[in-house]
Amino acid sequence: MKKILLVASFAALALTACGKKEAAPAASASASTAAAPAGPSVEVLHWWTSGGEAKSIGELKSMMQKQGITWVDSAIAGGGGDAAMTALKARVVAGNAPAAAQIKGPTIQEWANEGALANVNEAAKDWDTLLPKVVADVMKFKGEYVAAPVNVHRVNWLWINKAAMEKVGVKTAPKNYAEFFALADKFKKAKIQPLAHGSQPWQDATVFESVVLGVGGAKFFQDALVKLDPKALNSPTMVKVFDTLAKLKTYIDKDAANRDWNLATAMVIKGEAGMQFMGDWAKGEFTAAGKAPGKDYICAAAPGTATSFTFNIDSLAMFKQKDPAAQKAQLALASTVMSPEFQEVFNLNKGSIPARISGVPTDKFDDCAKLSMADMGKSSSNGGLVPSFAHGMAVPNATQGAIVDVVAKFMSSDMKSKDAAAAVAKAGATK
């Protein structure tokens, strides 16, 4: 019954999407109805359409073509992947699933539970030794690999304008919130906006999860934002998290409402603001502006999180194919995604780091990426490697959305910390 209801909801979503301005399903349909290419082929549905992302996918296409496999590109821009997911659901309902689709986190398990994903263990014989266990677990369903990780984004970063920091006489990044607020006060006194932020729910959630990790530690993060333990969600520690957020809010400017994240990053780049909480995709903005880590800006773990790492993984989930040739091409795709060559070039272009913990050359990566790699290795062995709550890696979408709503309300109102913790506990029960 669950499967029937889910498929019905997929179909309803697909029909609803037809009335939207974004013609994503139409784009997908054109790909699926095009003349079939000669020889083996592999179709990939994704939303990697920006400059660096498109370049990276172009490299994967080239690698597949060198193996005699035709690449069928189903790129669907818009909505942070929402349009692509709507198109994918319509394709699966129609019995015409692509060979692979860009999916992440618990959604992989949801698709696998519906019987839609293919076992690619044949291509993944050594992946258990190449991936951190917590990353491998996300790619598996009932112990079988059904997806290939493309990269790892670290979310718990703090970006600091180095010249601004030197101007106020501080030489090192804040290691805890006492040091963070002391630096913020110095920026404020020097008439530098202490914290650049965009008051959008997902940005609020990004800051929130870093504060949870920094105040409560990795075990508390797991209990609260992964296991959704009611006692952890409505605990004195969570109240302290919101107390910290309340103070943090006082360093955000009044024009932050609906500011896009890259505009907040630009404030740090220009020295208009001192700091920003944001994932490592922010590094692309610094690079595009000709800024170098260590010289123009500092990349540091968010306060209190030096031994932890919140990960956001892009991955390709493999959908069942009937044609034996398509199945072989799919296995080749999985192997190629995990190859050192692709892991290197994709992540150099995207600003993330390889999902593999060994075998990928690091000499071309900058200091921020090398620090990220080192910290991922350390945190994978000390229990500090945790899935990003804010970016869809930890809990189902409905639960995540309910908690994010509470955080966004807290960030934009005078809601009390105790009330916020109680509301988060209630939201954590959302199914």
Side-chain angles (χ1 to χ4, degrees):
M1 178 62 72
K2 180 182 177 183
K3 184 178 290 187
I4 294 172
L5 290 173
L6 185 55
V7 170
S9 70
F10 285 176
L13 278 168
L15 290 171
T16 302
C18 292
K20 293 181 179 180
K21 290 183 179 179
E22 282 188 21
S28 178
S30 64
S32 62
T33 56
S41 65
V42 62
E43 182 186 0
V44 179
L45 188 150
H46 64 91
W47 63 92
W48 286 308
T49 56
S50 70
E53 294 170 340
K55 184 177 179 181
S56 298
I57 275 297
E59 294 287 349
L60 183 56
K61 174 182 177 180
S62 176
M63 290 178 183
M64 296 306 295
Q65 290 177 332
K66 287 177 182 177
Q67 298 175 59
I69 298 171
T70 299
W71 176 275
V72 180
D73 196 69
S74 288
I76 302 173
D82 291 344
M85 288 302 94
T86 299
L88 175 63
K89 290 167 186 176
R91 291 283 301 276
V92 173
V93 169
N96 186 30
Q102 182 185 354
I103 301 175
K104 64 180 184 178
T107 306
I108 295 173
Q109 315 303 314
E110 292 171 9
W111 278 110
N113 194 50
E114 294 304 317
L117 300 188
N119 177 328
V120 292
N121 280 345
E122 186 178 338
K125 293 176 181 178
D126 60 347
W127 289 11
D128 280 353
T129 64
L130 297 174
L131 298 171
K133 185 180 183 302
V134 292
V135 174
D137 288 347
V138 176
M139 302 298 121
K140 292 179 179 179
F141 178 70
K142 294 183 177 178
E144 311 291 337
Y145 278 100
V146 294
V150 173
N151 66 347
V152 174
H153 281 293
R154 186 183 195 177
V155 180
N156 60 310
W157 281 114
L158 180 68
W159 306 90
I160 312 172
N161 182 288
K162 189 176 181 183
M165 193 165 67
E166 291 174 346
K167 182 178 179 180
V168 298
V170 176
K171 295 181 179 180
T172 58
K175 296 180 179 63
N176 52 53
Y177 279 101
E179 293 182 4
F180 174 88
F181 291 127
L183 177 55
D185 285 335
K186 288 180 182 293
F187 282 144
K188 198 170 187 178
K189 188 175 181 180
K191 300 191 183 306
I192 298 170
Q193 181 61 46
L195 185 61
H197 183 63
S199 295
Q200 297 171 336
W202 75 269
Q203 292 190 61
D204 292 338
T206 298
V207 176
F208 167 72
E209 76 170 18
S210 283
V211 175
V212 170
L213 188 62
V215 170
K219 185 183 183 304
F220 177 76
F221 185 102
Q222 286 275 11
D223 289 343
L225 299 185
V226 180
K227 298 177 182 178
L228 300 171
D229 180 353
K231 291 182 179 179
L233 288 171
N234 192 12
S235 67
T237 301
M238 187 58 77
V239 173
K240 187 177 179 182
V241 166
F242 281 106
D243 284 343
T244 304
L245 279 172
K247 187 171 182 179
L248 192 148
K249 282 193 302 182
T250 65
Y251 296 99
I252 297 173
D253 66 288
K254 59 181 178 60
D255 297 321
N258 293 316
R259 177 186 288 139
D260 288 335
W261 70 268
N262 57 314
L263 298 181
T265 305
M267 292 171 65
V268 178
I269 291 172
K270 296 174 184 176
E272 296 171 357
M275 301 177 282
Q276 180 191 21
F277 289 89
M278 189 52 60
D280 56 19
W281 48 90
K283 186 175 64 174
E285 299 297 308
F286 285 94
T287 302
K291 305 299 182 182
K295 178 184 176 183
D296 303 301
Y297 65 95
I298 302 295
C299 51
T305 72
T307 60
S308 302
F309 189 116
T310 43
F311 65 82
N312 178 22
I313 306 172
D314 288 318
S315 54
L316 289 178
M318 305 297 168
F319 282 77
K320 287 182 177 177
Q321 303 290 296
K322 296 178 182 178
D323 181 10
Q327 293 171 6
K328 288 184 178 180
Q330 186 180 61
L331 289 172
L333 174 65
S335 295
T336 304
V337 165
M338 273 289 287
S339 69
E341 295 79 12
F342 177 71
Q343 291 274 320
E344 178 187 36
V345 70
F346 185 93
N347 289 289
L348 283 171
N349 287 329
K350 202 169 188 294
S352 45
I353 63 173
R356 292 176 53 133
I357 55 177
S358 64
V360 180
T362 62
D363 53 299
K364 294 180 182 178
F365 287 90
D366 62 30
D367 290 345
C368 294
K370 289 176 181 176
L371 175 60
S372 190
M373 291 177 198
D375 286 352
M376 184 173 79
K378 292 174 186 175
S379 62
S380 67
S381 61
N382 67 15
L385 188 60
V386 295
S388 170
F389 161 80
H391 296 272
M393 297 299 303
V395 297
N397 290 337
T399 307
Q400 179 204 27
I403 295 176
V404 169
D405 285 346
V406 174
V407 174
K409 180 179 179 181
F410 179 85
M411 293 293 285
S412 62
S413 71
D414 58 358
M415 187 179 193
K416 301 301 181 184
S417 296
K418 278 190 174 183
D419 294 336
V424 160
K426 183 177 180 181
T430 303
K431 302 297 182 183

